[in-house]
Amino acid sequence: MLQRETILVIDMIKNNFNTEITYDHSNIDWDKHIQLLMEHRIFINAYPVLIRIIPEYYQKTVKNCYESCIKKINNNVLCLKNFAKEAKTEKLKFVLVKGLGIAKLIYGDIYARQASDLDILVEEDDMIRGDYILKKLGYKQPN
């Protein structure tokens, strides 16, 4: 049997995060609900609904979470711009995949899909130059 938090997430998606619809949010474990939205990377989409229906005592937490998501996306955009600038200088062709690329291409909005990192593809022969650019920009590979 589905839990109330899961049902609320499904209802929000079915109704395209419509803020005009009244959602049944009685007896919701808000921590669990937020966790589900974050796991499925739809928290940003749900935010306009959440801020309307969430209890007042939890609104600051939700607002901080939203601002954190927006900050991560903005940081990713800055990183991508820096990488693209260096790639152009080095004549390195690359393709942005998943995350921001999907959000922009499919939804027309980089904020439509949460992304916590950047996924870039380069041809195998260009991997050394790609690595050089990343190191030049201060990125380090984990051990």
Side-chain angles (χ1 to χ4, degrees), residues 84-120:
K85 181 180 175 183
E86 292 296 326
K88 184 175 182 179
T89 301
E90 294 293 324
K91 296 179 176 49
L92 174 79
K93 294 178 185 176
F94 71 95
V95 176
L96 179 65
V97 294
K98 302 184 338 186
L100 292 176
I102 287 177
K104 183 65 175 168
L105 284 171
I106 295 177
Y107 307 112
D109 180 5
I110 61 169
Y111 299 101
R113 187 173 185 277
Q114 287 169 238
S116 57
D117 63 1
L118 294 172
D119 297 291
I120 297 170

Side-chain angles (χ1 to χ4, degrees), residues 101-142:
I102 287 177
K104 183 65 175 168
L105 284 171
I106 295 177
Y107 307 112
D109 180 5
I110 61 169
Y111 299 101
R113 187 173 185 277
Q114 287 169 238
S116 57
D117 63 1
L118 294 172
D119 297 291
I120 297 170
L121 288 177
V122 298
E123 291 189 22
E124 188 175 357
D125 293 344
D126 290 334
M127 288 181 69
I128 292 172
R129 287 190 305 143
D131 187 55
Y132 166 76
I133 291 170
L134 291 172
K135 286 178 181 172
K136 183 177 178 181
L137 293 172
Y139 295 97
K140 298 177 183 162
Q141 287 187 0

